[in-house]
Amino acid sequence: MSDLSHYTVNFGPQHPSAHGVLRLILELKGEVITDVDTHIGLLHRATEKLAETKPFNHSIGYMDRLDYVSMMCNEHAYVMAIEQLLGVNPPKRAQYIRVMFDEMTRILNHLMWLGAHAMDLGAVSVFLYCFQAREDLMDCYEAVSGARMHATYYRPGGVYRDLPNSMPNYEPNRWRTEKEIEILNENRQGSLLDFIENFIKSFPSKIDEYENLLTDNRIWKQRTVDIGIVSPSLARKLGFSGPMLRGSGINWDLRKDQPYAVYNELDFDVPLGSKGDCYDRYLIRIEEMRQSTRIIAQCITWLRANPGPVMTNNKKVAPPKRIKMKDDMEALIHHFKLFTEGYIIPPGETYAAVEHPKGEFGIYLVSDGSNKPYRLKIRPAGFTHLQALGELSKGLMIADLVTILSSIDVVFGDIDR
Amino acid sequence: MKNLLRILKTNLPKGCQFNTEHNQITVIVPSQSIIECCKILKKHAELKFDILIDLCGVDYLSYGVGEWDTVSTTATGYSRATNNKPDESKWPLPRLAVVYHLLSTHLNHRVRVKAFIESDPPEIESICSIYKHANWYEREAYDLFGIIFNNHPDLRRILTDYGFKGFPFRKDFPISGHVEVRYDEAEKRCIYEPTSIDPRVTVPKVVRDDNRYLKGKENE
């Protein structure tokens, strides 16, 4: 065999740790990476162009399909941009519901990330633990919107409907005994809020379980500590946001610094890292899950005490109640107009950003006074982070590249759009 | 925000226009002075915009042009949304623009910078030397809009297919594209051929002057 010292290796696009469809061309010297050329766009669906051909409300569902593990946070930025241009204020109850679901989405995202990250590093069982907890949250999505993932629940002016008073139950079937069904349905007897409350009571102990498996695990620490170190100045230079920025110790969280919805009324802490390595980013995401349960608990208390409308009463934006359309001509006209033409947004442009589980997710919306967006630009968090992959992994081994890649938390739905 | 606007007005070079729609500051800068402006925005002690949040292209070719005439409906009849070629654009400024969104994590403020590009082919100076992470964003704007960023370290296409032709996000590029791909049994390979579907408008674009919003404008 010839004595090769320099290799060019193709990584992906169909590779389990490429998190979807990432293709990397790696230049290696032995096993050490000397250069990374990242090829993205294999999942490009031209969401922004598609949105230009549809009325505003039709594209809410596309937002779910961007970062498909944090669906409702994407919707939130989009409806916020529309609301800013329309000058519509959603009722407070709707904002609390949004915040509650945003935080549930954050837990969903971090659980998916934790499972995948651990699996990339060889710990398969964490993945199964995480998916068990995700199941309950997906049930909440389903209870409120009818879909387990792509909810399309937020609307400009509020949310589609109020929280349901009952949770769907498991029905008897021939694969489970009645006793098993009974156990499964045990926490589904009350309303959705009861179910969520039950979940957040038990969830912190589940986080402890994940931490038992990983936090002090010797192999886990060997794989993540001091890998992919990002200093605060480097993090700014690379344009990071979200947990990637906080991992380097920079105190920046849009929920605190530029609060939207009702985050300024809620009490929570923002965890910060000290070193900026993969292990710090792991600890931060774990702590963020704990903080999310705190926020959800406060939302539940508020929502219990304050019933009310969940949709604006601006009839040019919110569809009328079906029952009203039976004998109200105005309602019928509004309904017809809204579902054929949609609503008109006055000319202008805006940028709305939310603290997405992965970082800053923004929507830049330009309207020319018509019923469709003139230009919609989605600012995904992962795009900037993935760009830095080459810089972070130069001089490290291929195995470390996998660690860094998954600690960035990439999902190609929003990077490629 | 007023304070930030004042600082921007005193420090940015002449020829910049300012606008504060929706409580967000937009600065329209001449495309030749983008580098100069970005340097000031990043370095100035009272501005300190350290992170480029977003960079994108915008094509104003059909701005304000509807697919359905709502003023003289009876004259054009009901075949309105099918085969009508959109009217000529009434957009007075250059067709393509690059929009930058900047954020300062030090001082907690944002600004939007917009540069219209007059030249043909569209060219603008790359800001990679100032904001390193502009790299991919500029590649994306080049890929989708054909805006050429001078002195960019590596200006390749990023999102579209290998060997893709055209600039898909320009308004004159059809939503269904120009080519489709399929596997050819006889030739045993994937082949590209012209698209077999016609672009179709399901909900026509309607531009209306909504009286409610006109009222708001008078007040301003």
Side-chain angles (χ1 to χ4, degrees):
Chain A
M1 199 184 147
S2 62
D3 195 20
L4 279 172
S5 63
H6 190 270
Y7 308 82
T8 304
V9 174
N10 183 51
F11 178 103
Q14 309 293 339
H15 187 280
S17 65
H19 286 244
V21 283
L22 169 68
R23 184 179 174 210
L24 299 170
I25 315 259
L26 305 173
E27 299 286 336
L28 304 173
K29 199 161 186 185
E31 214 189 319
V32 176
I33 297 162
T34 56
D35 198 23
V36 182
D37 185 14
T38 317
H39 290 221
I40 62 166
L42 288 108
L43 201 63
H44 180 58
R45 297 148 297 177
T47 306
E48 296 161 4
K49 178 113 177 162
L50 279 175
E52 286 171 15
T53 66
K54 291 174 168 52
F56 288 95
N57 271 14
H58 289 204
S59 305
I60 302 172
Y62 281 134
M63 296 301 129
D64 294 310
R65 287 151 180 86
L66 288 168
D67 180 355
Y68 43 76
V69 290
S70 32
M71 299 67 80
M72 289 208 197
C73 291
N74 306 343
E75 287 176 29
H76 201 160
Y78 181 64
V79 298
M80 260 167 55
I82 294 175
E83 281 160 5
Q84 278 174 17
L85 284 178
L86 278 173
V88 168
N89 275 325
K92 202 143 191 210
R93 187 172 168 85
Q95 305 217 21
Y96 264 96
I97 294 176
R98 282 183 188 175
V99 166
M100 185 173 79
F101 271 94
D102 274 10
E103 293 308 318
M104 282 158 67
T105 309
R106 197 177 309 279
I107 296 177
L108 267 174
N109 178 81
H110 286 356
L111 282 175
M112 177 73 219
W113 168 81
L114 181 65
H117 189 38
M119 195 149 77
D120 282 348
L121 303 189
V124 178
S125 38
V126 184
F127 191 75
L128 303 173
Y129 278 67
C130 292
F131 263 65
Q132 204 182 15
R134 269 170 66 87
E135 202 60 32
D136 283 345
L137 292 170
M138 297 248 210
D139 284 345
C140 298
Y141 261 52
E142 189 178 2
V144 88
S145 73
R148 280 164 56 81
M149 286 182 80
H150 304 307
T152 327
Y153 178 52
Y154 298 177
R155 296 294 147 91
V159 294
Y160 173 61
R161 62 170 197 178
D162 208 343
L163 304 171
N165 287 328
S166 63
M167 275 299 281
N169 282 3
Y170 283 101
E171 280 175 18
N173 57 46
R174 49 190 233 254
W175 292 281
R176 289 194 202 277
T177 62
E178 251 173 55
K179 188 96 192 182
E180 282 173 322
I181 295 283
E182 218 169 86
I183 294 169
L184 283 173
N185 285 336
E186 207 176 337
N187 54 3
R188 287 158 198 271
Q189 300 309 315
S191 68
L192 173 66
L193 280 178
D194 295 333
F195 183 77
I196 299 173
E197 192 172 34
N198 194 20
F199 172 81
I200 59 160
K201 264 187 199 144
S202 63
F203 188 59
S205 68
K206 285 186 187 157
I207 303 178
D208 295 340
E209 273 178 22
Y210 314 145
E211 285 214 81
N212 269 343
L213 286 170
L214 297 173
T215 305
D216 291 323
N217 182 324
R218 192 155 54 94
I219 304 168
W220 183 256
K221 280 187 144 177
Q222 280 169 346
R223 291 295 305 271
T224 56
V225 174
D226 284 345
I227 300 294
I229 296 177
V230 187
S231 68
S233 64
L234 183 65
R236 285 203 167 98
K237 215 165 108 193
L238 297 172
F240 282 179
S241 56
M244 296 293 289
L245 196 59
R246 294 192 285 275
S248 306
I250 298 171
N251 191 354
W252 181 259
D253 188 321
L254 291 183
R255 292 174 296 171
K256 285 271 190 212
D257 293 299
Q258 300 179 349
Y260 53 97
V262 287
Y263 277 112
N264 50 355
E265 296 174 16
L266 299 165
D267 181 32
F268 62 97
D269 297 322
V270 178
L272 295 179
S274 52
K275 225 192 236 167
D277 56 2
C278 293
Y279 188 66
D280 272 6
R281 294 195 275 274
Y282 155 76
L283 291 177
I284 281 181
R285 290 191 175 107
I286 290 280
E287 184 55 31
E288 280 191 3
M289 287 201 277
R290 293 188 197 277
Q291 294 299 329
S292 291
T293 57
R294 260 178 83 188
I295 298 174
I296 294 170
Q298 294 167 54
C299 290
I300 291 174
T301 322
W302 194 93
L303 287 167
R304 282 234 167 90
N306 297 279
V310 292
M311 194 68 178
T312 170
N313 53 13
N314 184 335
K315 294 186 177 61
K316 301 288 175 195
V317 181
K321 286 262 174 287
R322 200 133 268 272
I323 190 84
K324 251 192 142 184
M325 285 161 53
K326 307 285 183 197
D327 52 7
D328 185 352
M329 191 64 198
E330 287 279 304
L332 195 65
I333 293 169
H334 279 135
H335 181 270
F336 178 73
K337 264 309 199 194
L338 273 173
F339 286 91
T340 52
E341 185 179 296
Y343 45 84
I344 304 285
I345 289 191
E349 55 186 2
T350 192
Y351 176 79
V354 295
E355 184 70 32
H356 187 271
K358 293 183 169 62
E360 174 169 336
F361 180 92
I363 296 282
Y364 171 52
L365 189 63
V366 182
S367 169
D368 61 346
S370 69
N371 57 340
K372 300 177 182 181
Y374 184 73
R375 168 94 169 103
L376 173 74
K377 172 69 179 29
I378 298 150
R379 191 271 176 197
F383 191 76
T384 324
H385 296 157
L386 184 65
Q387 186 173 188
L389 179 67
E391 177 136 358
L392 296 184
S393 52
K394 256 176 220 169
L396 297 171
M397 307 273 187
I398 299 183
D400 299 331
L401 172 96
V402 172
T403 314
I404 294 169
L405 178 63
S406 62
S407 92
I408 285 175
D409 194 5
V410 287
V411 159
F412 279 87
D414 77 335
I415 290 170
D416 291 347
R417 284 154 285 156
Chain B
M1 202 187 75
K2 271 187 186 153
N3 192 28
L4 176 62
L5 190 64
R6 185 184 51 78
I7 299 166
L8 285 169
K9 276 185 177 163
T10 46
N11 287 295
L12 286 180
K14 276 204 175 122
C16 295
Q17 293 164 34
F18 299 86
N19 150 3
T20 54
E21 216 178 85
H22 303 288
N23 281 329
Q24 297 172 3
I25 299 177
T26 308
V27 187
I28 300 174
V29 305
S31 60
Q32 308 82 9
S33 55
I34 187 69
I35 287 280
E36 192 191 342
C37 289
C38 283
K39 270 186 187 153
I40 297 167
L41 289 169
K42 190 175 182 183
K43 296 279 153 65
H44 192 278
E46 286 179 287
L47 297 170
K48 273 191 172 173
F49 287 102
D50 52 345
I51 291 180
L52 173 84
I53 282 292
D54 188 32
L55 184 158
C56 68
V58 183
D59 178 5
Y60 283 97
L61 180 67
S62 60
Y63 190 86
V65 179
E67 290 156 330
W68 186 345
D69 192 2
T70 51
V71 184
S72 55
T73 20
T74 43
T76 47
Y78 279 94
S79 59
R80 296 172 277 215
T82 48
N83 288 321
N84 294 352
K85 271 254 155 73
D87 304 339
E88 283 297 299
S89 167
K90 291 153 218 138
W91 183 250
L93 295 163
R95 175 181 168 183
L96 288 169
V98 182
V99 180
Y100 308 79
H101 285 94
L102 302 176
L103 166 74
S104 168
T105 54
H106 297 284
L107 302 168
N108 192 5
H109 51 216
R110 290 173 188 270
V111 72
R112 179 185 306 125
V113 178
K114 209 181 210 180
F116 285 98
I117 305 176
E118 286 101 4
S119 62
D120 186 38
E123 283 178 40
I124 191 167
E125 200 63 27
S126 161
I127 58 161
C128 282
S129 54
I130 303 163
Y131 293 104
K132 204 177 166 200
H133 52 287
N135 189 323
W136 277 20
Y137 288 100
E138 289 183 346
R139 278 178 69 185
E140 187 191 314
Y142 161 69
D143 187 0
L144 303 177
F145 290 93
I147 298 165
I148 297 159
F149 291 88
N150 292 326
N151 298 321
H152 186 284
D154 179 27
L155 197 64
R156 286 177 291 159
R157 284 185 179 272
I158 186 164
L159 290 178
T160 51
D161 196 3
Y162 300 113
F164 189 86
K165 288 194 187 80
F167 302 112
F169 275 30
R170 288 193 179 183
K171 290 283 178 180
D172 47 11
F173 191 97
I175 187 82
S176 48
H178 292 305
V179 287
E180 61 187 28
V181 62
R182 68 174 173 86
Y183 180 73
D184 191 276
E185 195 57 51
E187 288 193 49
K188 299 279 180 213
R189 67 183 179 92
C190 290
I191 55 166
Y192 288 85
E193 46 194 27
T195 39
S196 53
I197 46 169
D198 290 323
R200 177 172 71 113
V201 176
T202 44
V203 182
K205 178 178 166 186
V206 185
V207 180
R208 286 184 198 280
D209 287 328
D210 197 315
N211 294 329
R212 288 169 297 148
Y213 303 128
L214 289 177
K215 219 186 239 168
K217 268 196 183 149
E218 278 162 19
N219 293 340
E220 272 169 18

